[in-house]
Amino acid sequence: RAVLQRLVRIEEEDPAIDSSGMPNVDLDPNVFEKRFLKRIRPLGEGHFGKVELCLYDSRGDRTGELVAVKSLKSESSGVETSNLLREINTMRELLHENIVKYKGVSAEEGGTTFKLIMEYLPMGSLKEYLPHNKPKIDHNKLLLYAKQICEGMEYLGSQNYIHRDLAARNVLVESENLVKIGDFGLTKSIKDNEGYYRVKEEQESPVFWYAPECLVHLKFYRASDVWSFGVTLYEIMTYCDTKKSPPAMFSDMIGRSQGQMTVTRLVSALEAGRRLPCPTGCPEKIYILMKSCWEHSPDHRIDFQGLISEFQKLET
Ligand code: ADP
Ligand code: MG
């Protein structure tokens, strides 16, 4: 109880957080006690946070359950704290087969930090899974993953969210036949907006996954997620080969540079109609689908429903 009240207080104290439209943290029954959470090994690290595998061992006999725990790095700021809070509040609203399941939050009596507890997916992200399991994954499997990502995204959109960080590194593998979207760290609600989200802090954005309108106008539409899906589909069809990764390919195309210079050059290349190439061995039909995600104007892009029916047609 006290823990939850403190979470609410953190939210209220931080002017960067807009509490309106947020679910009340106080209603959450899923509190994990920090003292029962045993760290096993790191699972991954991003810009702001880290994810660790832990055993929640409330009986103290090692029979507890394995969970994935996301926390902030020690040097994190108030903005980052509020981002993790927002991520928690987003994830707990979502319930779909192709979205990583929220389990709860952890906090300790008197502490000021908190963590996000989610289900643990032992096979990691597509970025680790695909290159290591290439021999047993054929194109049908890749297309199944692509369709499942679209189904998760269609649901996310139906809940008025824009993901803003769709990429192979953020799609987790439950089994050979099931993938789930994770990492809602940049996800924004567009409920009270005009169908798009305007970026307030530019941060370190995944520019090579971003559509022109995101790079130029800092506006994110549902169709901007479709563009990022196209880049994710490209990654999937390369089996996440790092030599063929979007940053590697775009850097070859526009030359290496840093910061705003990269964005400027990337935008010029995209406006000149340049796109990622067809991955080796990728059927033309799939490349056409990718390109329909990369139409310059958001209005001309295919949507997730359209993608799902295209993938269904390809199944037979
Ligand atoms: P960040 O916001 O720091 O990018 P992510 O949520 O993307 O954090 O997690 C970083 C990495 O940790 C992922 O790419 C994945 O490899 C691993 N990971 C994250 N969540 C889980 C999970 N629930 N189960 C297994 N591995 C995970
Ligand atoms: Mg991530």
Side-chain angles (χ1 to χ4, degrees):
R1 230 20 16 178
V3 152
L4 292 174
Q5 260 137 28
R6 223 180 36 253
L7 281 184
V8 174
R9 226 168 35 237
I10 295 171
E11 195 173 295
E12 283 165 353
E13 278 164 10
D14 193 324
I17 312 175
D18 173 18
S19 299
S20 63
M22 269 203 203
N24 190 348
V25 189
D26 209 19
L27 296 174
D28 195 334
N30 309 347
V31 177
F32 288 67
E33 282 189 55
K34 215 167 185 172
R35 62 195 167 113
F36 296 140
L37 219 44
K38 310 247 161 75
R39 190 179 288 140
I40 296 178
R41 63 180 170 90
L43 290 172
E45 208 167 283
H47 303 316
F48 317 109
K50 57 174 194 287
V51 181
E52 293 172 311
L53 173 63
C54 294
L55 181 71
Y56 189 65
D57 196 22
S58 56
R59 283 188 296 266
D61 58 2
R62 305 245 143 215
T63 59
E65 61 173 331
L66 290 173
V67 290
V69 180
K70 188 165 188 169
S71 55
L72 294 168
K73 292 184 189 160
S74 44
E75 70 280 16
S76 50
S77 71
V79 177
E80 286 149 20
T81 305
S82 59
N83 282 345
L84 182 58
L85 256 182
R86 193 188 296 111
E87 182 171 1
I88 291 171
N89 282 322
T90 303
M91 268 195 103
R92 40 188 258 162
E93 282 204 324
L94 304 173
L95 193 59
H96 190 272
E97 249 219 292
N98 303 113
I99 289 185
V100 173
K101 272 200 197 71
Y102 164 86
K103 290 179 95 75
V105 289
S106 119
E108 64 193 335
E109 223 36 65
T112 50
T113 57
F114 54 92
K115 299 176 176 188
L116 160 62
I117 318 279
M118 44 188 165
E119 63 172 331
Y120 165 56
L121 278 73
M123 294 154 113
S125 79
L126 281 179
K127 212 175 161 190
E128 295 103 46
Y129 180 77
L130 288 183
H132 294 122
N133 294 278
K134 197 170 168 180
K136 65 169 184 190
I137 306 166
D138 60 12
H139 276 173
N140 286 330
K141 278 275 151 64
L142 296 181
L143 297 180
L144 175 69
Y145 302 157
K147 191 182 78 177
Q148 291 176 346
I149 297 167
C150 290
E151 278 164 353
M153 290 304 294
E154 174 63 24
Y155 168 79
L156 195 65
S158 75
Q159 304 298 300
N160 287 304
Y161 283 112
I162 300 188
H163 189 282
R164 294 182 60 228
D165 201 6
L166 187 56
R169 63 181 176 275
N170 291 329
V171 177
L172 303 178
V173 182
E174 158 105 20
S175 73
E176 211 180 299
N177 295 308
L178 181 60
V179 299
K180 300 184 175 192
I181 301 166
D183 195 354
F184 295 89
L186 293 180
T187 301
K188 294 290 178 325
S189 170
I190 49 167
K191 227 173 289 176
D192 312 312
N193 295 294
E194 302 139 53
Y196 65 85
Y197 171 81
R198 188 184 284 278
V199 181
K200 295 177 189 97
E201 344 87 42
E202 228 173 318
Q203 308 166 346
E204 245 178 285
S205 39
V207 291
F208 299 114
W209 279 257
Y210 276 1
E213 70 275 8
C214 311
L215 300 168
V216 178
H217 305 294
L218 306 182
K219 280 183 176 177
F220 280 81
Y221 302 83
R222 255 193 257 288
S224 317
D225 272 342
V226 170
W227 179 292
S228 306
F229 170 77
V231 181
T232 308
L233 179 58
Y234 166 88
E235 292 183 276
I236 291 175
M237 298 313 293
T238 65
Y239 289 85
C240 294
D241 179 351
T242 42
K243 290 192 294 299
K244 296 282 155 73
S245 74
M249 299 307 280
F250 276 121
S251 300
D252 285 350
M253 192 190 294
I254 64 177
R256 287 174 208 267
S257 58
Q258 280 197 331
Q260 208 47 46
M261 191 63 198
T262 307
V263 177
T264 309
R265 291 191 194 172
L266 178 60
V267 168
S268 313
L270 294 175
E271 281 176 347
R274 305 199 60 187
R275 296 292 183 265
L276 290 165
C278 183
T280 316
C282 171
E284 186 63 24
K285 275 185 183 167
I286 313 286
Y287 189 53
I288 291 172
L289 271 188
M290 266 178 226
K291 287 195 287 190
S292 55
C293 297
W294 299 332
E295 285 290 339
H296 189 273
S297 157
D299 304 331
H300 295 162
R301 279 172 220 153
I302 191 167
D303 60 12
F304 284 111
Q305 203 54 63
L307 283 160
I308 292 169
S309 43
E310 290 301 322
F311 287 123
Q312 277 162 350
K313 278 188 228 159
L314 288 166
E315 261 167 28
T316 46

